[in-house]
Amino acid sequence: MADYLLLLVGMGLVTYLPRWLPLHYLSRQSLPEWFVQWLELIPAAILSALLLPALIIGGDTGRLDLLRPELWVALPTFAFAWWTRSLGGTVVVGMLLFWLAEKVDPQWLAWVG
């Protein structure tokens, strides 16, 4: 039992310290404006890097597939999010559009590809 407790405490420290140390150090520093602006772009870049492959690359084949319903749902959802800046509304619109996309026969998009 003591081994598990020691393991849990060790895992907590390993997880917590790498986050706390930079925050603690940087909170006392004055960062250049260009660096702060660059840091603000990181969440959008990470989100794009995570989402884009899932939207345009086919599952098993790993090939570019622009007819994926996920892509066609993401575009109007992204536009809604851009204009309204509403997280809750964006989630609802995305879910509604994805539900509607499942109702559409994918063959009607055959003229595109």
Side-chain angles (χ1 to χ4, degrees):
M1 184 67 178
D3 292 340
Y4 287 116
L5 185 60
L6 186 62
L7 180 65
L8 287 174
V9 170
M11 290 187 326
L13 286 174
V14 168
T15 303
Y16 181 73
L17 284 178
R19 293 181 173 96
W20 180 78
L21 286 174
L23 284 176
H24 180 70
Y25 174 73
L26 291 176
S27 65
R28 297 175 183 205
Q29 304 293 320
S30 177
L31 299 174
E33 185 62 31
W34 65 268
F35 190 65
V36 172
Q37 290 176 352
W38 180 77
L39 287 175
E40 291 174 354
L41 298 175
I42 289 176
I46 291 173
L47 186 61
S48 300
L50 292 174
L51 285 179
L52 190 60
L55 294 177
I56 64 170
I57 295 177
D60 295 335
T61 61
R63 300 175 69 186
L64 182 66
D65 184 6
L66 297 178
L67 298 178
R68 293 177 55 89
E70 292 88 351
L71 175 64
W72 291 97
V73 168
L75 293 174
T77 304
F78 177 74
F80 179 85
W82 184 270
W83 282 311
T84 64
R85 310 276 183 193
S86 168
L87 178 61
T90 301
V91 170
V92 170
V93 166
M95 291 172 59
L96 178 65
L97 290 176
F98 198 76
W99 177 75
L100 287 173
E102 287 183 346
K103 304 292 181 196
V104 173
D105 184 12
Q107 296 300 321
W108 76 273
L109 289 174
W111 61 273
V112 176

Short mmCIF file of all heavy atoms in Angstrom, two decimals, residues 39-61:
data_model
loop_
_atom_site.label_atom_id
_atom_site.label_comp_id
_atom_site.label_asym_id
_atom_site.label_seq_id
_atom_site.Cartn_x
_atom_site.Cartn_y
_atom_site.Cartn_z
N LEU A 39 3.08 33.69 -28.24
CA LEU A 39 2.49 32.71 -27.33
C LEU A 39 0.98 32.62 -27.50
O LEU A 39 0.39 31.55 -27.34
CB LEU A 39 2.83 33.05 -25.88
CG LEU A 39 4.25 32.80 -25.44
CD1 LEU A 39 4.46 33.31 -24.02
CD2 LEU A 39 4.60 31.33 -25.52
N GLU A 40 0.33 33.74 -27.83
CA GLU A 40 -1.11 33.72 -28.01
C GLU A 40 -1.54 32.91 -29.23
O GLU A 40 -2.69 32.48 -29.31
CB GLU A 40 -1.65 35.15 -28.13
CG GLU A 40 -1.54 35.92 -26.83
CD GLU A 40 -1.93 37.37 -26.98
OE1 GLU A 40 -2.18 37.83 -28.12
OE2 GLU A 40 -1.97 38.07 -25.96
N LEU A 41 -0.64 32.69 -30.17
CA LEU A 41 -0.98 31.92 -31.37
C LEU A 41 -0.84 30.41 -31.17
O LEU A 41 -1.31 29.63 -31.99
CB LEU A 41 -0.08 32.36 -32.53
CG LEU A 41 -0.23 33.81 -32.95
CD1 LEU A 41 0.78 34.16 -34.03
CD2 LEU A 41 -1.64 34.09 -33.44
N ILE A 42 -0.21 30.00 -30.11
CA ILE A 42 0.05 28.58 -29.91
C ILE A 42 -1.23 27.74 -29.78
O ILE A 42 -1.35 26.69 -30.42
CB ILE A 42 0.99 28.37 -28.71
CG1 ILE A 42 2.38 28.86 -29.08
CG2 ILE A 42 1.05 26.91 -28.29
CD1 ILE A 42 3.38 28.80 -27.96
N PRO A 43 -2.24 28.16 -29.01
CA PRO A 43 -3.45 27.32 -28.93
C PRO A 43 -4.12 27.12 -30.29
O PRO A 43 -4.56 26.00 -30.60
CB PRO A 43 -4.36 28.10 -27.98
CG PRO A 43 -3.44 28.91 -27.15
CD PRO A 43 -2.30 29.28 -28.06
N ALA A 44 -4.20 28.16 -31.11
CA ALA A 44 -4.82 28.01 -32.43
C ALA A 44 -4.00 27.07 -33.30
O ALA A 44 -4.55 26.26 -34.06
CB ALA A 44 -4.97 29.37 -33.09
N ALA A 45 -2.67 27.17 -33.21
CA ALA A 45 -1.82 26.29 -34.02
C ALA A 45 -1.96 24.84 -33.58
O ALA A 45 -2.03 23.93 -34.42
CB ALA A 45 -0.37 26.75 -33.90
N ILE A 46 -2.01 24.61 -32.29
CA ILE A 46 -2.15 23.23 -31.80
C ILE A 46 -3.51 22.67 -32.18
O ILE A 46 -3.62 21.52 -32.64
CB ILE A 46 -1.94 23.19 -30.28
CG1 ILE A 46 -0.47 23.48 -29.96
CG2 ILE A 46 -2.35 21.85 -29.71
CD1 ILE A 46 -0.18 23.63 -28.49
N LEU A 47 -4.55 23.47 -32.01
CA LEU A 47 -5.89 23.01 -32.38
C LEU A 47 -5.98 22.69 -33.86
O LEU A 47 -6.55 21.67 -34.26
CB LEU A 47 -6.93 24.05 -31.98
CG LEU A 47 -8.39 23.65 -32.16
CD1 LEU A 47 -8.71 22.44 -31.30
CD2 LEU A 47 -9.30 24.80 -31.82
N SER A 48 -5.40 23.53 -34.69
CA SER A 48 -5.39 23.27 -36.13
C SER A 48 -4.63 22.00 -36.46
O SER A 48 -5.06 21.20 -37.29
CB SER A 48 -4.76 24.44 -36.88
OG SER A 48 -5.48 25.62 -36.65
N ALA A 49 -3.51 21.80 -35.82
CA ALA A 49 -2.70 20.61 -36.09
C ALA A 49 -3.43 19.34 -35.65
O ALA A 49 -3.25 18.28 -36.25
CB ALA A 49 -1.36 20.71 -35.38
N LEU A 50 -4.24 19.44 -34.64
CA LEU A 50 -4.99 18.27 -34.19
C LEU A 50 -6.22 18.00 -35.06
O LEU A 50 -6.56 16.85 -35.32
CB LEU A 50 -5.42 18.45 -32.73
CG LEU A 50 -4.31 18.44 -31.69
CD1 LEU A 50 -4.88 18.77 -30.32
CD2 LEU A 50 -3.63 17.08 -31.66
N LEU A 51 -6.90 19.08 -35.48
CA LEU A 51 -8.16 18.91 -36.19
C LEU A 51 -8.01 18.66 -37.68
O LEU A 51 -8.74 17.84 -38.25
CB LEU A 51 -9.04 20.15 -36.00
CG LEU A 51 -9.69 20.30 -34.65
CD1 LEU A 51 -10.51 21.57 -34.58
CD2 LEU A 51 -10.57 19.10 -34.36
N LEU A 52 -7.10 19.33 -38.34
CA LEU A 52 -7.04 19.27 -39.80
C LEU A 52 -6.84 17.85 -40.33
O LEU A 52 -7.57 17.45 -41.25
CB LEU A 52 -5.96 20.22 -40.33
CG LEU A 52 -5.99 20.41 -41.84
CD1 LEU A 52 -7.32 20.99 -42.27
CD2 LEU A 52 -4.85 21.29 -42.27
N PRO A 53 -5.92 17.05 -39.80
CA PRO A 53 -5.81 15.68 -40.31
C PRO A 53 -7.09 14.87 -40.14
O PRO A 53 -7.45 14.08 -41.02
CB PRO A 53 -4.66 15.09 -39.50
CG PRO A 53 -3.88 16.25 -39.03
CD PRO A 53 -4.88 17.35 -38.83
N ALA A 54 -7.79 15.07 -39.04
CA ALA A 54 -9.03 14.33 -38.82
C ALA A 54 -10.12 14.76 -39.79
O ALA A 54 -11.03 14.00 -40.08
CB ALA A 54 -9.50 14.52 -37.39
N LEU A 55 -10.02 15.99 -40.29
CA LEU A 55 -11.06 16.50 -41.18
C LEU A 55 -10.83 16.14 -42.64
O LEU A 55 -11.79 16.01 -43.40
CB LEU A 55 -11.15 18.03 -41.06
CG LEU A 55 -11.63 18.56 -39.71
CD1 LEU A 55 -11.60 20.07 -39.70
CD2 LEU A 55 -13.02 18.04 -39.40
N ILE A 56 -9.59 15.97 -43.07
CA ILE A 56 -9.34 15.81 -44.51
C ILE A 56 -8.69 14.49 -44.89
O ILE A 56 -8.56 14.20 -46.06
CB ILE A 56 -8.49 16.96 -45.05
CG1 ILE A 56 -7.11 16.97 -44.41
CG2 ILE A 56 -9.19 18.29 -44.88
CD1 ILE A 56 -6.15 17.94 -45.09
N ILE A 57 -8.27 13.69 -43.93
CA ILE A 57 -7.60 12.44 -44.26
C ILE A 57 -8.53 11.28 -43.96
O ILE A 57 -9.09 11.17 -42.88
CB ILE A 57 -6.28 12.30 -43.48
CG1 ILE A 57 -5.32 13.39 -43.94
CG2 ILE A 57 -5.66 10.92 -43.70
CD1 ILE A 57 -4.01 13.41 -43.21
N GLY A 58 -8.69 10.39 -44.98
CA GLY A 58 -9.56 9.23 -44.83
C GLY A 58 -9.02 8.27 -43.80
O GLY A 58 -7.81 8.16 -43.61
N GLY A 59 -9.91 7.56 -43.14
CA GLY A 59 -9.56 6.70 -42.02
C GLY A 59 -8.52 5.65 -42.31
O GLY A 59 -7.35 5.79 -41.96
N ASP A 60 -8.90 4.57 -42.97
CA ASP A 60 -7.98 3.45 -43.17
C ASP A 60 -6.98 3.69 -44.29
O ASP A 60 -5.87 3.19 -44.25
CB ASP A 60 -8.78 2.18 -43.48
CG ASP A 60 -9.63 1.76 -42.29
OD1 ASP A 60 -9.26 2.13 -41.16
OD2 ASP A 60 -10.63 1.08 -42.50
N THR A 61 -7.39 4.44 -45.28
CA THR A 61 -6.52 4.63 -46.44
C THR A 61 -5.42 5.65 -46.19
O THR A 61 -4.37 5.58 -46.80
CB THR A 61 -7.33 5.06 -47.66
OG1 THR A 61 -7.96 6.31 -47.37
CG2 THR A 61 -8.38 4.01 -48.00
#
